[in-house]
Amino acid sequence: MDEAVSRAARHTLVGQYLTEVSLLAKALCPEAQVEATTESYEDEDGHVRIYPPAGFSEGQITELEGQIAERCVDILVDTGVFLCAAVYEPDT
């Protein structure tokens, strides 16, 4: 029973952090399309995919990636929740 509660609590925690990172991405780039999922390929807990609008420069992508990555690292260190986030190059 404790294991089931622990899994449910972790699932809730992952969802909260996926929402937080998604909202951060939208705050940093309101025009971006953001997708958050709990799909897992190895040991990650979830993914956030950020699709900025056309015209977003390479420098803007790098800056956005850095800010999002910094928050994901903080979450990992503080809670053990491992989120992968990626900013994709916009279609031109």
Side-chain angles (χ1 to χ4, degrees), residues 16-67:
Q16 289 171 343
Y17 284 116
L18 283 170
T19 298
E20 178 187 324
V21 172
S22 296
L23 291 172
L24 175 60
K26 288 297 276 185
L28 295 170
C29 183
E31 304 85 16
Q33 177 185 353
V34 179
E35 298 174 357
T37 69
T38 56
E39 64 189 344
S40 179
Y41 297 106
E42 290 185 14
D43 58 349
E44 67 273 12
D45 293 301
H47 292 264
V48 178
R49 295 178 184 92
I50 304 158
Y51 302 93
F56 218 64
S57 72
E58 190 173 321
Q60 290 172 304
I61 290 171
T62 300
E63 184 175 333
L64 180 59
E65 281 178 330
Q67 291 173 314

